Amino acid sequence: MDDGTWSIGELARRAGVTVKTVRFYSDRGLLPETARSSGGHRRYGPEALDRLRLIRSLRALDLPVPDVGRVLGEEAALEDVVARRLRELGSRLAALRWQEAALRSLRECAAGERAERLRLIGAVTAPPSTAALARFWRRELPARLPAKLRASIVDAVVPQPPADPAPDQVLAFARLHALVSGARPPADHWRSPAGRSMCGRTDEEVRPAVLYEGLSEAFDLASAELRARRAPYGGDALDCFVAAHARTYRARDTPEFRRRLRVLLTVTADPVLDRYWELSGELTGPLEPTLGAAQEWLRAALEAQSARPGLPA
């Protein structure tokens, strides 16, 4: 025909694709025909070639056909489509990096360890979810904490999986996931014998929200000491730590109170939480101390201070 239109075969030839490809996009409304021949065959104008090339460019980026249709129908949609695609690719890449590190972990371990390691790693999704860790802490924290404070604590104590993990970090996260997923009675730290006897306060008089709000500053100070590689000692971090506990129990910071606090921290030590912080440290690395490491530094500082002359043991 001499009307300036092309047959489906001619359009396919000019675009360097198959007739089947042109028909596929035409049938889905992405490549409207200009006219029909007297025999009912599709005819396309020159603008169809530019549109087909654009479709191929978008598809080369692995954009789904519905997203291609959105971009063709509304140019402003391209930014949203690209942003979503980048998020999807980021998630896929994170999963692939995690799977690669997991496979290396299996390859590098002794043959006798592989079955157990495979069981641990296989229980974790790729990329891994921290939902189980968050649930663990929501059970551990006192019920009387305000929701906003509880959420901020959970955010602080749940380590995020590395974007590009080493094999050891994959194994550490898998072990951490297994630890928090195991059977464990509900936490009741505030009803321990030491807790009840602390300054003679009853459970109802203890104010856990006051404690957790006050510990934030103490942990920040202790973390700075840890980054500087300073040994535990009495100073601002310890004073802030003790003051938070004193306010919690409506007590004064005295040598006797510090002695009682030292006993409380000893008798309420929890092997599960100690293991949690150990594994968390393997995930975050030495440059970012965990809250558990800060707590241990402060506990050791209290112990060191109690051993000094003039303070009760």
Side-chain angles (χ1 to χ4, degrees):
M1 295 178 67
D2 297 326
D3 59 357
T5 61
W6 302 322
S7 68
I8 191 170
E10 178 66 11
L11 176 60
R13 185 186 66 77
R14 289 174 179 267
V17 300
T18 65
V19 170
K20 182 178 179 180
T21 297
V22 177
R23 185 175 290 115
F24 175 84
Y25 293 129
S26 293
D27 290 345
R28 279 155 182 78
L30 301 183
L31 195 63
E33 60 198 49
T34 301
R36 289 269 178 165
S37 69
S38 58
H41 300 295
R42 303 175 189 187
R43 305 293 297 182
Y44 298 90
E47 71 281 354
L49 181 58
D50 291 335
R51 190 175 179 92
L52 184 53
R53 285 171 174 165
L54 176 57
I55 292 172
R56 292 190 66 199
S57 296
L58 294 170
R59 291 292 288 150
L61 296 174
D62 204 23
L63 293 181
V65 170
D67 284 345
V68 172
R70 282 188 60 204
V71 174
L72 293 173
E74 181 185 354
E75 187 176 347
L78 179 60
E79 184 174 349
D80 290 339
V81 168
V82 169
R84 187 176 74 250
R85 186 62 181 153
L86 284 172
R87 289 194 298 270
E88 292 170 353
L89 286 175
S91 180
R92 283 173 55 187
L93 288 172
L96 289 172
R97 286 192 290 265
W98 195 267
Q99 290 170 355
E100 179 189 22
L103 290 169
R104 288 168 54 198
S105 176
L106 291 172
R107 183 185 63 187
E108 295 168 4
C109 73
E113 299 175 7
R114 282 186 183 142
E116 175 63 13
R117 190 167 291 195
L118 181 59
R119 182 189 67 80
L120 287 168
I121 293 174
V124 177
T125 61
S129 168
T130 59
L133 280 63
R135 286 194 298 270
F136 170 82
W137 279 104
R138 284 194 287 268
R139 293 194 306 266
E140 288 292 309
L141 292 171
R144 285 180 285 160
L145 288 180
K148 186 176 181 180
L149 177 59
R150 177 185 295 272
S152 68
I153 294 171
V154 171
D155 286 343
V157 297
V158 171
Q160 294 303 309
D164 191 7
D168 288 348
Q169 290 176 309
V170 168
L171 184 59
F173 187 90
R175 286 172 171 160
L176 191 58
H177 184 273
L179 179 73
V180 302
S181 301
R184 179 170 167 83
D188 207 1
H189 305 308
W190 301 100
R191 296 180 181 277
S192 67
R196 285 200 300 271
S197 63
M198 190 74 169
C199 304
R201 299 297 180 189
T202 65
D203 296 329
E204 289 71 22
E205 292 177 302
V206 175
R207 301 178 295 173
V210 173
L211 176 63
Y212 281 93
E213 288 170 349
L215 286 180
S216 177
E217 181 182 357
F219 287 160
D220 286 344
L221 293 171
S223 294
E225 302 291 349
L226 282 164
R227 293 188 191 96
R229 300 180 181 275
R230 295 192 183 97
Y233 69 98
D236 290 343
L238 180 59
D239 289 345
C240 186
F241 180 72
V242 174
H245 284 85
R247 288 193 298 271
T248 299
Y249 293 99
R250 296 182 175 88
R252 291 187 303 110
D253 179 2
T254 64
E256 173 60 17
F257 178 84
R258 294 195 176 209
R259 185 192 70 79
R260 288 174 176 262
L261 179 58
R262 179 167 57 86
V263 173
L264 173 65
L265 296 176
T266 299
V267 300
T268 57
D270 187 335
V272 172
L273 293 183
D274 290 344
R275 180 60 172 159
Y276 181 96
W277 293 121
E278 179 185 352
L279 292 170
S280 294
E282 293 180 23
L283 278 173
T284 59
L287 298 180
E288 188 55 43
T290 65
L291 294 187
Q295 165 92 1
E296 177 56 26
W297 190 95
L298 291 162
R299 188 202 63 76
L302 190 59
E303 287 281 356
Q305 188 182 70
S306 69
R308 290 169 51 191
L311 291 176

